[in-house]
Amino acid sequence: MTLLSVRDLSVAIHGTPILHGVSFDLVPGEVFGLVGESGSGKSMTALALMQLLPHGAQAGGRALLNGDDLVALSERRMCGLRGREIGMIFQEPMTALNPVKTIGDQVAETLVIHGAASRGEAARAARARLDRVGLLADQFPLDRYPHELSGGQRQRVCIAMAVALRPKLLIADEPTTALDVTTQAQILDLLKGLVEEDRMALMLITHDLAVVAGVADHVAVMQAGRIVEAGVTEAVFRQRGHDYTRKLFAASGHVPQRRARVKDEPVLTVEGARRRYPLPRPPFSAPRWFEAVRGASFTLHAGESLGLVGESGCGKSTLARAILGLDPLQGGAIRLFGTHAVGPQMPNALRAGLQAVFQDPYGSFNPRWTVARLVAEPFHLMPTTPADARDRVGAALTEVGLTPADASRYIHEFSGGQRQRIAIARALITRPDVIVLDEAVSALDVRVRAQILDLLADLQDRHGMSYLFISHDLSVVRAITDRVMVMRAGEIVEAGPTERVLDAPEHPYTRELVAATPRIPPGWMEDTDAA
Amino acid sequence: MLRFVLLRLGSLGLSLVVASLVIFTVVQVIPGDPATFMMGLNATPEAVEALRKVLGLTGSLPWRYLHWVAGLLAGDLGTSYTYRVPVAGLVLERVQVSLPLTAYALVLSTALALPAGVLAAARRGRAADVTIMGVTQFGIAVPNFWFAMLLVLLFALRLHWLPAGGFPGWKAGLWPGLRALTLPAVALALPQAAILARVMRSALIDTLGQDFIRTARAKGLSQGQAVRRHAVRNALIPVLTILGLQFSFLLAGAIIIENVFYLPGLGRLIFQGITQRDLIVVQSVVMLLVAAVIVVNFTVEVAYALIDPRLRHPA
Amino acid sequence: MRGRASLFIGGGLAGAFVILALLSFVWTPYPYAAMDIAAKFRPPGALHWLGTDQFGRDVAAQLMVGARTSIAVAIVAVGIGIAGGVPLGLWAAASRGTWVDEVIQRGGDLVFAFPSLVIAILITAVFGPSALNAILAIGIFNIPVFARVTRAGALSLWTLDYIRAARLAGKGRARISLEHILPNVANLLIVQGTIQFSLGILAEAGLSYVGLGAQPPTPSWGRMLADSQTLMGFAPGLAIFPGMAIVLTVLGLNLMGDGLRDLLDPRLRRRA
């Protein structure tokens, strides 16, 4: 029995086609996964079904839900369907709720707007729905405001709102992408439970193949506005019939070739590092401090690649800032080569040995500078700019897979992946001993990410520098590091060889983290070619 | 919430103190001896000394400052040099014109601007929006005193609908008083309304682009319902800021407009004070105007907290 | 596209008045102060394009010279605002959360509590009315405006990774402010500068209208309006032309500001 039947759905924005002939079916009680890289048209498909496309967009084709064609229905009829027959949740829970209305009002509104309940009944129903999504009355009364909730809690409110009237179809657009893995696992469990309980159909849009593997009954792979392959999830994963699917799947599990040559020379030592900062407080009240890093200790060896994983707010970025000498420590010490103290006052010559690549490929560069000037900026650390500065910029660009001619261009002319290459070139230019990679591949699509990981492995082979690889993504850490440390609430709770820690975790938190991380069942991906 | 209000009250008090220090410094310290300044170069030392006594300008600077502030708090604004009467009495008379004028203008401007801004945002890019934006573009370019002159030209001199100037006093009745204030209030209000309408429009358009509006639409709210139930209250936050600033613009504008219409308000009092070198009047009236602006800004900040729960109880 | 159109129309309007002002240094149809009682209250015509005033002075010539006053006052006032406000804004943003930031911000709030006209009144009450005092009064008010715009723009830039990269390259806050922050808030400053320029022209007109701006014999649009007020009944042209000059200049500057904002705002560009 089909609930929603989409046939030849197309969307054009100001005449430019975005979606081409998209067709699929949804069945009650089943999860349909729609996967693809950014810009592949996944979200457009969902918005077209909701008739919430941006201005200037025109949809064609058919999408039959109970005999109603969602593409052709009038706006009035759509208002009656949205929220009642189709619920939707979005990626960014932090901004998805109205900041000036209570969560109770916002959940109850779904019922009130459809005339399904009086105000009093709606409030009771809202209470019941919030309880169902795990926000219990004693901790989360109806008069809470969104800003008092965490991201995961807000996403639960969004879900309560979307399923308040028990719609037949729920569309979830990257519902867990902005969340930590443990929260992600809980939200996915909640969604699965709702699907089974109410025999809803769930359309789950995600870029994460592992999430789909764990949750979806059927899956469709999208590329450039088309569905290139679709079917039962396990079958699609095993067969990988289309060329694009093969590449995508290969990239998601890609492990770069590394010839690790870790030497037993400590390069960077961190001893009992403590970092705290003052919380904002009203005047005339006692200062309050937030202990972001509470006594972290570790050693990074020459040629080693060391991972640092943890969820948002665990202190890994604060620790990274201290290691880079950007912030002072309140206790303990960080040393380069066992003797030189790292900190805001460190001499330039020492700083040259310590460079970094950051997460955001768009915010990492001054848009008004040429690539030559951007890459050469760390030369400021040298007493005088080297005479061969131009050649060295050219050489660094060549090393990261670009050309010396790129030096005269501006940063907006490059793609996200190319920008990360330029960021790596900038980090290389002073030939540092340590490069801190702070979520350096997190913003990239899987295929680009695989290429950047290859580049990083290759550069380490050639120059033998050490990496401190900070990430929330265990699969990336597994691919690129020799050892890994797990951080939680400002403390390193477990450290050891990467495979050992991730395959046989000892600390309960590590176990929780590893268990929560979605994985493609090992058998599904046999005979993966390394392409 | 109480803590928030107390904090704001503290900063309100601090602002008032600093403002009074600045005004006192400019008026009484920079020109040297105020009594000499007021009487001119030809005055005899005895006459200056006598004036000093009358105006209470004897003693050291800190003492004079404290004396002035204590007087202000007790409602004593000093003695006018020209009129030889308490400034407080003069001010009380004039406030009866200036305050109703400013309030009248503020009501007019808000009543016109907010609906126009909402309409323009809701009909973005269509005829109503283009018209409103065009009119407001002109509105913000027109100096209010020139607009006032044009109004007088049309409605008073040609059509004889409303008086060209002067004020009959409230004793003559509410209606004649309102009639006399109508042209001045319109002249003050329209240029401000143009600014406010544009702010309302852009704030609403910004809000309509936010994720939570899409969430509301996904719940089944129509575009209109989403605007009314979710967008307007959020958009009011920047609008309130401008509304607070407008009060000070209107107050300043009123000073000029009173001159166009020969209204016996605070503005005229200040100008008389300046031409007659009556520093005591200038000092006290300026302090009063600045205090009014500071108090209004305080009210706006408290109003913020009523609209925005993030300020009321931070997480 | 709309941005470009308003930039051209606005720039054309404002530019025309700037050219007229510059032209007045070398040529006006009549000497602006030349009285000719016999030719008073002439309507606009071939001899006097915009007519003559109560002393027989040529209105067009006075408007041209008046443009000079208005534009000069507004430009210098914007200059004061930028020279004072931009460094303060950069400094406040670079020392976010410290007392320096707090003092700069509260200082700005305090200036905002004085309506600009009240500042002008205070200054003239003590120093006497003049164009210079008008400039000062308008300029002081511009300082916190530019400080706020600069600080707001700078704060969002300070969170970006290229600032971290610059710190890793050993650069201090002052150097980062100059090399990375200032060029990237320049767009904001250009747009704000246009807005303040037009507000400056309005403010100058208001001040000279009430006699607190440029003093006779220097012509100014505001005082031409004040002089025409009593004559409005039978010579409305004297009130119309200076007013139109103000409106067109301010309208031109505002349109130009809108156009610049559309063209320069990276947020709008990225969305497009």
Side-chain angles (χ1 to χ4, degrees):
Chain A
M1 192 199 84
T2 308
L3 171 72
L4 172 72
S5 164
V6 178
R7 288 294 171 271
D8 281 325
L9 181 68
S10 65
V11 169
I13 296 184
H14 295 300
T16 313
I18 303 290
L19 291 185
H20 316 262
V22 170
S23 303
F24 56 86
D25 292 306
L26 263 65
V27 180
E30 283 197 9
V31 179
F32 171 72
L34 194 56
V35 294
E37 293 178 299
S38 51
S40 61
K42 318 181 291 279
S43 295
M44 278 298 158
T45 307
L47 293 175
L49 296 179
M50 292 291 277
Q51 274 195 27
L52 288 177
L53 287 166
H55 284 286
Q58 189 64 44
R62 277 183 309 131
L64 290 178
L65 179 85
N66 292 338
D68 289 321
D69 183 0
L70 298 180
V71 176
L73 223 50
S74 73
E75 172 62 17
R76 255 181 64 94
R77 294 281 311 282
M78 272 316 284
C79 284
L81 281 183
R82 290 187 207 116
R84 180 190 285 279
E85 304 287 324
I86 320 171
M88 183 159 179
I89 51 180
F90 300 93
Q91 171 171 354
E92 193 37 81
M94 299 310 274
T95 52
L97 295 169
N98 185 341
V100 307
K101 286 198 162 192
T102 63
I103 58 172
D105 279 351
Q106 295 193 55
V107 176
E109 189 177 36
T110 308
L111 297 128
V112 173
I113 214 80
H114 289 282
S118 69
R119 285 200 169 274
E121 292 167 48
R124 275 193 296 282
R127 182 68 269 159
R129 280 335 237 167
L130 285 171
D131 286 341
R132 172 62 188 91
V133 299
L135 300 176
L136 300 177
D138 52 341
Q139 245 190 312
F140 301 96
L142 293 179
D143 60 0
R144 281 293 185 97
Y145 284 96
H147 73 276
E148 298 169 293
L149 275 54
S150 70
Q153 289 159 354
R154 288 187 213 193
Q155 196 60 297
R156 287 171 193 269
V157 175
C158 290
I159 293 172
M161 224 154 59
V163 301
L165 280 168
R166 300 176 195 275
K168 298 187 180 69
L169 168 62
L170 180 62
I171 302 175
D173 187 356
E174 303 269 9
T176 58
T177 305
L179 305 174
D180 282 323
V181 283
T182 47
T183 318
Q184 161 167 289
Q186 293 159 6
I187 295 287
L188 290 175
D189 276 346
L190 172 62
L191 288 173
K192 268 195 289 191
L194 287 167
V195 167
E196 280 162 23
E197 237 169 72
D198 293 347
R199 288 205 44 81
M200 260 185 335
L202 172 63
M203 177 170 156
L204 178 70
I205 295 170
T206 179
H207 68 283
D208 190 333
L209 292 171
V211 166
V212 172
V215 179
D217 303 292
H218 288 80
V219 64
V221 181
M222 275 192 99
Q223 183 209 8
R226 292 175 210 278
I227 290 183
V228 294
E229 191 164 359
V232 173
T233 307
E234 184 175 345
V236 169
F237 274 67
R238 283 187 184 277
Q239 283 155 14
R240 280 158 276 150
H242 193 276
D243 184 47
Y244 174 76
T245 320
R246 262 198 303 280
K247 283 184 182 152
L248 190 68
F249 281 48
S252 82
H254 181 69
V255 176
Q257 290 288 314
R258 299 182 62 235
R259 290 180 296 276
R261 276 169 307 174
V262 183
K263 296 180 201 148
D264 196 24
E265 303 162 18
V267 175
L268 182 85
T269 45
V270 177
E271 292 158 16
R274 292 185 170 276
R275 173 85 188 115
R276 64 174 188 175
Y277 46 85
L279 290 170
R281 63 179 171 114
F284 313 116
S285 58
R288 291 184 301 162
W289 297 88
F290 179 68
E291 300 271 345
V293 178
R294 318 162 174 227
S297 302
F298 65 88
T299 304
L300 177 63
H301 297 93
E304 186 181 30
S305 179
L306 177 60
L308 178 60
V309 299
E311 296 185 303
S312 56
C314 73
K316 57 187 193 302
S317 289
T318 309
L319 181 58
R321 290 179 63 85
I323 288 171
L324 289 168
L326 296 177
D327 291 334
L329 287 179
Q330 276 74 44
I334 300 173
R335 291 201 180 81
L336 261 183
F337 304 114
T339 45
H340 308 284
V342 168
Q345 311 301 330
M346 67 201 271
N348 280 345
L350 197 58
R351 214 176 258 287
L354 206 51
Q355 290 295 310
V357 178
F358 302 111
Q359 172 174 7
D360 179 10
Y362 293 89
S364 282
F365 305 96
N366 185 340
R368 297 181 172 273
W369 284 15
T370 59
V371 167
R373 200 173 166 199
L374 289 167
V375 172
E377 189 172 31
F379 282 145
H380 181 73
L381 293 166
M382 316 229 155
T384 53
T385 306
D388 60 344
R390 267 190 59 187
D391 296 339
R392 284 170 66 174
V393 167
L397 287 173
T398 312
E399 268 205 290
V400 298
L402 298 168
T403 65
D406 289 323
S408 57
R409 294 162 71 191
Y410 286 89
I411 200 68
H412 67 262
E413 300 172 54
F414 296 90
S415 70
Q418 287 172 321
R419 289 177 197 216
Q420 271 332 50
R421 289 175 189 270
I422 294 169
I424 294 168
R426 173 170 64 190
L428 282 177
I429 197 89
T430 55
R431 305 201 177 113
D433 307 290
V434 176
I435 297 184
V436 174
L437 299 141
D438 190 355
E439 302 277 7
V441 297
S442 301
L444 305 175
D445 275 323
V446 281
R447 284 182 304 162
V448 179
R449 182 164 74 196
Q451 291 162 7
I452 298 291
L453 289 177
D454 279 342
L455 172 65
L456 288 171
D458 177 46
L459 288 171
Q460 193 170 38
D461 282 347
R462 262 190 278 164
H463 298 292
M465 76 285 248
S466 315
Y467 288 152
L468 177 62
F469 202 98
I470 299 169
S471 180
H472 69 281
D473 187 336
L474 296 188
S475 68
V476 170
V477 168
R478 186 190 285 273
I480 192 85
T481 64
D482 306 300
R483 280 194 306 138
V484 66
M485 304 178 289
V486 181
M487 198 163 177
R488 183 200 188 190
E491 285 167 29
I492 293 172
V493 295
E494 184 166 0
T498 303
E499 297 223 336
R500 202 279 293 153
V501 172
L502 297 187
D503 292 336
E506 284 166 6
H507 192 277
Y509 176 69
T510 315
R511 271 187 225 137
E512 191 189 342
L513 208 58
V514 170
T517 303
R519 295 175 76 171
I520 300 170
W524 291 14
M525 296 293 284
E526 282 157 10
D527 75 279
T528 299
D529 45 335
Chain B
M1 184 69 194
L2 184 70
R3 184 178 203 125
F4 177 84
V5 172
L6 283 179
L7 245 146
R8 292 289 139 207
L9 266 178
S11 102
L12 168 89
L14 200 67
S15 305
L16 286 174
V17 170
V18 179
S20 68
L21 273 170
V22 170
I23 293 170
F24 183 82
T25 310
V26 171
V27 174
Q28 296 221 9
V29 182
I30 293 176
D33 177 30
T36 317
F37 180 83
M38 286 191 247
M39 294 199 80
L41 292 173
N42 301 328
T44 60
E46 295 78 32
V48 172
E49 192 52 42
L51 179 68
R52 232 180 241 142
K53 285 219 175 82
V54 173
L55 299 183
L57 293 179
T58 48
S60 65
L61 275 177
W63 191 87
R64 258 154 56 196
Y65 170 73
L66 291 176
H67 185 74
W68 176 54
V69 170
L72 283 178
L73 291 177
D76 172 12
L77 307 184
T79 309
S80 161
Y81 159 57
T82 13
Y83 301 100
R84 301 295 169 119
V85 293
V87 177
L90 291 174
V91 165
L92 213 60
E93 250 170 56
R94 307 302 183 98
V95 158
Q96 294 177 19
V97 178
S98 294
L99 202 60
L101 175 59
T102 309
Y104 194 172
L106 199 60
V107 169
L108 267 182
S109 123
T110 316
L112 274 173
L114 298 192
V118 173
L119 182 71
R123 298 247 186 289
R124 189 180 182 184
R126 290 191 244 163
D129 181 28
V130 174
T131 312
I132 291 172
M133 290 306 280
V135 170
T136 54
Q137 189 66 265
F138 262 95
I140 53 179
V142 174
N144 55 17
F145 60 91
W146 184 60
F147 186 53
M149 288 166 66
L150 296 183
L151 288 176
V152 169
L153 199 59
L154 182 62
F155 292 102
L157 300 184
R158 290 277 148 85
L159 298 171
H160 300 288
W161 288 357
L162 291 160
F167 186 71
W170 294 112
K171 285 192 189 104
L174 185 67
W175 181 234
L178 278 183
R179 259 174 64 92
L181 291 185
T182 295
L183 283 188
V186 170
L188 268 177
L190 287 191
Q192 296 301 318
I195 298 175
L196 199 58
R198 292 175 83 88
V199 172
M200 182 76 223
R201 173 183 180 272
S202 68
L204 200 53
I205 285 175
D206 275 358
T207 313
L208 286 174
Q210 307 250 322
D211 286 353
F212 64 81
I213 295 296
R214 197 178 51 181
T215 310
R217 299 276 283 128
K219 278 197 277 189
L221 276 76
S222 68
Q223 183 69 16
Q225 283 172 321
V227 170
R228 282 192 299 279
R229 298 175 73 114
H230 291 276
V232 169
R233 195 158 153 206
N234 278 282
L236 275 181
I237 295 172
V239 169
L240 255 186
T241 315
I242 300 300
L243 214 57
L245 281 178
Q246 296 233 308
F247 180 79
S248 95
F249 286 132
L250 286 173
L251 209 59
I255 297 176
I256 292 185
I257 293 294
E258 283 171 11
N259 274 286
V260 182
F261 291 95
Y262 308 104
L263 295 174
L266 286 176
R268 301 275 291 167
L269 185 63
I270 285 198
F271 283 111
Q272 284 159 0
I274 290 176
T275 43
Q276 290 149 359
R277 301 191 146 207
D278 195 342
L279 284 184
I280 306 296
V281 165
V282 174
Q283 172 181 295
S284 290
V285 177
V286 167
M287 182 67 218
L288 215 64
L289 293 178
V290 172
V293 172
I294 291 178
V295 170
V296 166
N297 285 346
F298 162 78
T299 319
V300 166
E301 294 208 10
V302 174
Y304 270 158
L306 288 179
I307 290 185
D308 193 339
R310 285 165 295 189
L311 291 174
R312 224 162 33 223
H313 21 78
Chain C
M1 223 47 242
R2 271 192 53 202
R4 213 165 285 268
S6 44
L7 183 63
F8 282 134
I9 296 172
L13 267 176
F17 280 94
V18 173
I19 290 170
L20 282 178
L22 291 175
L23 184 63
S24 77
F25 282 105
V26 291
W27 178 85
T28 49
Y30 292 84
Y32 69 88
M35 295 193 201
D36 182 1
I37 300 296
K40 69 178 179 182
F41 293 127
R42 284 277 165 83
L47 273 181
H48 295 278
W49 301 334
L50 301 179
T52 59
D53 69 1
Q54 69 272 33
F55 300 114
R57 290 177 298 195
D58 185 61
V59 171
Q62 288 196 64
L63 279 183
M64 282 173 70
V65 183
R68 218 153 80 186
T69 315
S70 286
I71 290 170
V73 168
I75 283 184
V76 179
V78 168
I80 292 176
I82 289 178
V86 173
L88 282 175
L90 289 176
W91 192 21
S95 15
R96 174 179 203 177
T98 66
W99 62 269
V100 173
D101 184 23
E102 194 64 19
V103 166
I104 291 173
Q105 280 198 79
R106 293 291 86 80
D109 289 349
L110 191 74
V111 177
F112 276 124
F114 290 78
S116 55
L117 192 74
V118 174
I119 292 191
I121 287 169
L122 212 61
I123 290 175
T124 30
V126 176
F127 299 103
S130 71
L132 190 69
N133 288 341
I135 288 175
L136 258 175
I138 302 167
I140 288 174
F141 195 67
N142 278 341
I143 292 176
V145 172
F146 281 100
R148 273 190 186 184
V149 170
T150 309
R151 178 179 177 273
L155 278 186
S156 63
L157 293 178
W158 272 102
T159 64
L160 293 179
D161 281 340
Y162 67 78
I163 303 300
R164 275 211 272 172
R167 292 191 60 200
L168 282 184
K171 292 180 175 171
R173 287 174 184 277
R175 195 183 179 108
I176 290 174
S177 290
L178 282 181
E179 282 188 359
H180 288 291
I181 308 283
L182 188 57
N184 285 297
V185 294
N187 286 346
L188 290 175
L189 295 179
I190 290 171
V191 172
Q192 194 64 39
T194 327
I195 296 170
Q196 294 309 118
F197 190 9
S198 81
L199 289 178
I201 290 198
L202 278 176
E204 192 277 336
L207 286 176
S208 52
Y209 171 79
V210 292
L212 300 182
Q215 295 300 298
T218 315
S220 77
W221 294 344
R223 219 188 42 261
M224 288 173 75
L225 285 174
D227 291 345
S228 74
Q229 198 177 345
T230 46
L231 313 165
M232 223 161 35
F234 56 95
L238 291 182
I240 303 287
F241 292 122
M244 291 298 292
I246 297 172
V247 170
L248 291 179
T249 313
V250 173
L251 187 67
L253 286 167
N254 286 343
L255 285 175
M256 209 170 109
D258 287 356
L260 283 174
R261 192 198 319 257
D262 286 358
L263 287 183
L264 298 180
D265 190 338
R267 278 187 312 161
L268 293 175
R269 233 181 340 187
R270 202 174 297 166
R271 235 178 267 162

